[in-house]
Amino acid sequence: MNPLLTNITLIAGREISTRVREKSFLISTAIMMVVIVAGTIVWSMFAGRESTETVGMVGGDAALSTSLEQTGEAAGTTVTVKALPDAAAADQQVRDGGLAAAVVVDDARNYTVVSKKELDATLDGILRSGLAQYQLTSSLAARGVDLGELSGPAITTSYLEQVESDVEQRVTIALVGSILLMMAIMTGGLMVAVGVVEEKTSRIVEILLSAVRPLHLLWGKILGIGVISLGQVVLLGATALIAGTATGLLTIAGTAVSMFVAVVAWFLLGFLFFAALYAATGAMVSRQEELNGAASPLTMLSILVLYSGIFGIQAMDSTWMQVLSWIPPFSAILMPMRLAVGDVSAATMALSFVLMIAACALVVWVSSRIYSRSVLRTGSRTSWSEVAGMLAGR
């Protein structure tokens, strides 16, 4: 095997074996899997739950009950009408909480709606619409109008754009996958930086660099931690897909898998982008205490990327979101979302992917120069003026 590949493979294997045996990593992964499964179950319970209301009725007939039930069905609420003997019984059951409301019809066909507190807007609208419809129907029938002859106009709906039935599922997968992506990038990138600082402070890096070159050590560390982070994302993503399919939230398995594959492809570039910068940041400092301050710009950038996806999902067709989706590293989270809503062509996706690769190549070149010239430096933090000199070749 090529000596370069051998060295990188050995270093990557060392990182993988070291990190995977850490109890904190195993426990946190298990906790996230449990949270995903529990969250999916709760989500499916609320998503599949239909609103149901029980309404009492005093003095009405079967036609009134039918009108209220049909109006509720049209509004997406199941209304169950319960006949009551008198207004006192209606007041008592509403007060006890057994009924959401009660409708009392007097001899003059006036309606009184009884409720314990202010009615929910949806139920209030259902009762008013149902009573109005019943009153209209009763009045027409009393005047001898044959309701069977009344028919609405013929209406044909023409869609200018075809909405795919699975678009909501794809958007959900893209959003959840992108959140997992950024979590892995932030934790994995910080893991790279912490590993670099630990090796510097313990002088282990001097022993390692006596056997391998600095870039071999850099690439081995990024590759090893990248494999761990990718494995964690795939495991958590697979858990979410299985839980979503089992609970009925995801009904199109092929769509779910293909969308997740696209998210993983962008993850690889996003992780490389941030991990290389975190490695350079770790090489610039000499103590663990300095790392948080030095890495804060990267942390802020990763949070901005994450927020762009979370808050931009509602406006993916806006101009600023479409422009931002071309800019690395924002494209790593926004392009999969644009793909999910069908707002991007294959050519546009490919070109954006190439731009992200170019950005990663530039970041890796910059980080490599900083890392190779700073990783053995101890005692003082590398200044930005010194970094500029490194990039200029001085």
Side-chain angles (χ1 to χ4, degrees):
M1 183 183 291
N2 188 295
L4 171 63
L5 296 179
T6 301
N7 292 338
I8 293 177
T9 303
L10 288 174
I11 296 167
R14 169 179 169 270
E15 291 290 339
I16 294 172
S17 61
T18 300
R19 306 294 176 181
V20 168
R21 287 199 297 265
E22 293 179 353
K23 290 184 178 180
S24 60
F25 175 80
L26 297 176
I27 292 174
S28 63
T29 302
I31 290 175
M32 284 190 285
M33 291 178 65
V34 172
V35 169
I36 288 174
V37 173
T40 304
I41 293 174
V42 173
W43 188 359
S44 66
M45 291 172 60
F46 282 99
R49 180 180 296 175
E50 185 177 281
S51 178
T52 302
E53 300 287 0
T54 302
V55 176
M57 184 177 68
V58 178
D61 55 16
L64 177 56
S65 297
T66 301
S67 178
L68 295 177
E69 291 170 354
Q70 291 179 345
T71 304
E73 182 179 355
T77 300
T78 299
V79 175
T80 301
V81 179
K82 180 180 179 181
L84 298 174
D86 50 43
D91 291 348
Q92 187 61 46
Q93 292 198 32
V94 170
R95 191 182 305 277
D96 294 341
L99 299 174
V103 177
V104 180
V105 185
D106 60 21
D107 295 337
R109 300 186 66 82
N110 296 316
Y111 308 102
T112 302
V113 177
V114 180
S115 63
K116 188 174 183 180
K117 295 181 180 179
E118 185 176 354
L119 275 177
D120 174 76
T122 301
L123 180 58
D124 183 62
I126 291 172
L127 293 179
R128 290 180 182 276
S129 298
L131 291 173
Q133 180 63 37
Y134 171 76
Q135 184 66 34
L136 175 62
T137 303
S138 301
S139 298
L140 292 174
R143 289 167 173 75
V145 177
D146 185 0
L147 299 180
E149 296 179 355
L150 298 178
S151 61
I155 301 175
T156 302
T157 303
S158 175
Y159 296 103
L160 298 179
E161 295 183 5
Q162 184 66 35
V163 179
E164 298 182 38
S165 59
D166 60 345
V167 64
E168 291 185 1
Q169 295 187 24
R170 287 188 293 160
V171 170
T172 300
I173 295 168
L175 180 59
V176 174
S178 297
I179 292 174
L180 291 175
L181 180 151
M182 293 310 303
M183 289 176 57
I185 284 175
M186 286 188 282
T187 57
L190 190 59
M191 199 182 299
V192 171
V194 169
V196 171
V197 178
E198 288 177 347
E199 291 173 351
K200 285 187 65 174
T201 56
S202 63
R203 299 298 181 92
I204 293 177
V205 68
E206 298 177 6
I207 300 175
L208 293 174
L209 292 182
S210 65
V212 298
R213 294 180 178 180
L215 293 185
H216 298 179
L217 182 59
L218 172 64
W219 277 106
K221 187 174 293 293
I222 291 176
L223 179 62
I225 296 179
V227 168
I228 295 173
S229 300
L230 177 61
Q232 188 181 46
V233 168
V234 171
L235 179 61
L236 296 177
T239 301
L241 291 180
I242 293 172
T245 303
T247 56
L249 287 177
L250 297 177
T251 57
I252 308 176
T255 298
V257 173
S258 61
M259 193 65 241
F260 186 66
V261 169
V263 171
V264 169
W266 280 100
F267 163 82
L268 297 175
L269 294 181
F271 182 85
L272 177 59
F273 183 95
F274 279 96
L277 291 176
Y278 270 108
T281 302
M284 290 173 60
V285 302
S286 298
R287 300 189 304 272
Q288 289 281 3
E289 295 80 6
E290 300 174 345
L291 183 57
N292 287 335
S296 57
L298 285 178
T299 303
M300 288 300 299
L301 177 60
S302 59
I303 291 175
L304 287 175
V305 173
L306 177 60
Y307 281 2
S308 70
I310 294 176
F311 296 111
I313 191 67
Q314 303 296 330
M316 293 305 298
D317 57 346
S318 63
T319 301
W320 71 274
M321 284 301 297
Q322 293 188 6
V323 171
L324 194 62
S325 66
W326 283 92
I327 303 174
F330 293 92
S331 54
I333 192 172
L334 295 181
M335 272 299 174
M337 291 185 180
R338 289 188 62 187
L339 177 64
V341 299
D343 186 40
V344 60
S345 64
T348 300
M349 178 68 72
L351 182 56
S352 177
F353 204 76
V354 170
L355 290 178
M356 186 66 186
I357 292 175
C360 288
L362 177 61
V363 165
V364 168
W365 178 82
V366 170
S367 300
S368 299
R369 294 186 72 87
I370 297 173
Y371 180 87
S372 60
R373 301 191 182 193
S374 302
V375 71
L376 289 175
R377 180 173 178 172
T378 58
S380 63
R381 176 176 169 177
T382 304
S383 65
W384 288 109
S385 60
E386 290 173 317
V387 170
M390 295 175 188
L391 299 180
R394 298 196 298 269

